[in-house]
Amino acid sequence: MVKTKTTKSPRTLKKAMKSPVVTSTPMTGKGNKKRRRLSSGGRESTDEETPKRRRTHPGTRALKEIRFYQRSTHFLIPKLSFCRLVKETINKSAYRQDFRIQSKALEALQEAAEAFLIRFLEDTNLCAIHARRVTIFPKDMNLVKMLKHEQLFNALEE
């Protein structure tokens, strides 16, 4: 019978290369305690290693968030903050200070404001993509403002 040399599989070799080499050296100071020195970047190897988190590609999480918000129907701006903003705007422009707003009217106003903002940002994003960029700049917003929403913004500025 001929004896053959057994070799480790490549998978076993990779595991052996990754596992840290632990050497113990006496610690200076109180007592006879020993300190472990690790050769693999400071992590100690344990029997129950937690599995590594899988890294996702850049932008995957952003796309996931976009899909989540496109499916949802709830408001993106918090109601209380929007209510405060509306009341502040009314108090600045009104001659009376004790205006009251119905909750349904406030809800309708918030729905319209969010729809306008989303549409405005979509158009701004299209301008950035047309300029072969991914990031939106103020100049993209100004372009959309000039082309589409000129009358509306002029009314707001007055």
Side-chain angles (χ1 to χ4, degrees):
M1 184 176 241
V2 178
K3 287 186 178 180
T4 58
K5 184 178 180 182
T6 58
T7 58
K8 292 184 178 181
S9 68
R11 201 179 296 160
T12 314
L13 286 172
K14 283 183 183 176
K15 283 183 183 177
M17 290 172 68
K18 285 184 180 178
S19 65
V21 178
V22 179
T23 58
S24 59
T25 57
M27 198 161 96
T28 56
K30 288 186 176 181
N32 249 349
K33 295 179 183 174
K34 291 188 175 184
R35 180 176 48 157
R36 288 180 145 184
R37 221 175 21 178
L38 301 173
S39 65
S40 67
R43 273 189 279 163
E44 190 172 321
S45 176
T46 59
D47 294 337
E48 301 171 9
E49 282 194 27
T50 56
K52 283 187 177 180
R53 277 190 186 172
R54 294 193 87 176
R55 288 203 58 190
T56 57
H57 292 285
T60 305
R61 185 168 180 180
L63 290 172
K64 197 173 182 180
E65 281 184 21
I66 289 169
R67 282 188 217 107
F68 170 77
Y69 285 118
Q70 283 176 341
R71 275 191 231 121
S72 69
T73 56
H74 65 277
F75 289 127
L76 302 174
I77 302 170
K79 285 185 180 181
L80 195 62
S81 302
F82 187 77
C83 180
R84 238 182 279 126
L85 178 71
V86 168
K87 285 184 178 182
E88 181 184 324
T89 308
I90 287 174
N91 286 337
K92 278 184 182 176
S93 64
Y95 60 93
R96 281 183 22 198
Q97 297 296 321
D98 58 340
F99 268 100
R100 294 176 142 206
I101 302 173
Q102 288 184 353
S103 61
K104 291 288 181 185
L106 198 62
E107 209 171 290
L109 192 60
Q110 185 170 359
E111 183 74 36
E114 285 190 7
F116 172 77
L117 279 173
I118 289 169
R119 181 62 192 243
F120 182 70
L121 289 171
E122 283 175 352
D123 294 339
T124 304
N125 193 35
L126 285 175
C127 286
I129 290 170
H130 180 72
R132 296 188 180 130
R133 284 185 277 109
V134 180
T135 311
I136 60 173
F137 289 153
K139 61 183 179 182
D140 300 323
M141 290 184 169
N142 290 335
L143 181 63
V144 170
K145 184 176 157 183
M146 279 186 351
L147 294 176
K148 281 191 129 181
H149 308 287
E150 187 175 350
Q151 294 171 350
L152 182 66
F153 280 108
N154 287 338
L156 289 175
E157 288 174 358
E158 291 176 358

